[in-house]
Amino acid sequence: MKTLLKIILSTHLVLMSTLSLAQIPETQYSQGISYITGGVGEDETVAILAEAKQWPLLLEMSQIENGRGVWIFGATIKIMSAAKKQIVFDAQADGPYMLVNLTPGDYVIEATYEGVMQKRVLSIKADSSQKISLFWK
């Protein structure tokens, strides 16, 4: 029985140490708003998606390439308050995912990739998270 308990405990410790290897990228700031961007590689993607439930906004960015959807990086993301029409966030995505810690309110997202801009309107609610998929053709 003690041997079985040791095996279970050892297995648990190995699994937990493996999970901790999935590093989430460093938190950055744009105009006082915290964000995380990345998702290059499976471990980083898993870490960001696991963290996404704790953030008000998850942006997911992709494009069609040779007839297939592929993840992109390098999109410029600007977010404006809908009420004041002023930019409250401006950053470049370092991968296909971006978590943004917006306060509740109404916003307009302007996302630009390879010279093509698209706009989205969104409303952030308290204690809620949402995902917006940005897709370029």
Side-chain angles (χ1 to χ4, degrees), residues 31-137:
Q31 300 184 34
I33 295 174
S34 58
Y35 71 99
I36 293 173
T37 181
V40 178
E42 186 176 345
D43 289 344
E44 196 172 279
T45 296
V46 168
I48 288 174
L49 293 177
E51 182 78 9
K53 296 174 184 80
Q54 308 302 316
W55 290 70
L57 179 61
L58 166 63
L59 298 176
E60 172 182 85
M61 295 156 273
S62 62
Q63 76 169 19
I64 287 279
E65 192 173 282
N66 297 324
R68 297 182 42 210
V70 294
W71 300 118
I72 62 166
F73 63 93
T76 300
I77 307 297
K78 291 183 182 181
I79 302 176
M80 291 155 287
S81 85
K84 296 181 181 179
K85 307 275 193 254
Q86 70 185 64
I87 296 173
V88 297
F89 180 86
D90 187 356
Q92 184 168 332
D94 294 335
Y97 298 106
M98 183 179 277
L99 302 173
V100 185
N101 193 18
L102 292 173
T103 57
D106 296 323
Y107 299 93
V108 176
I109 297 174
E110 284 186 359
T112 305
Y113 180 69
E114 293 184 345
V116 178
M117 193 258 292
Q118 53 180 293
K119 284 187 180 185
R120 298 284 175 88
V121 176
L122 80 134
S123 185
I124 298 293
K125 309 285 185 222
D127 301 321
S128 178
S129 62
Q130 61 181 292
K131 176 174 90 172
I132 294 185
S133 297
L134 299 165
F135 185 77
W136 284 266
K137 294 183 181 181

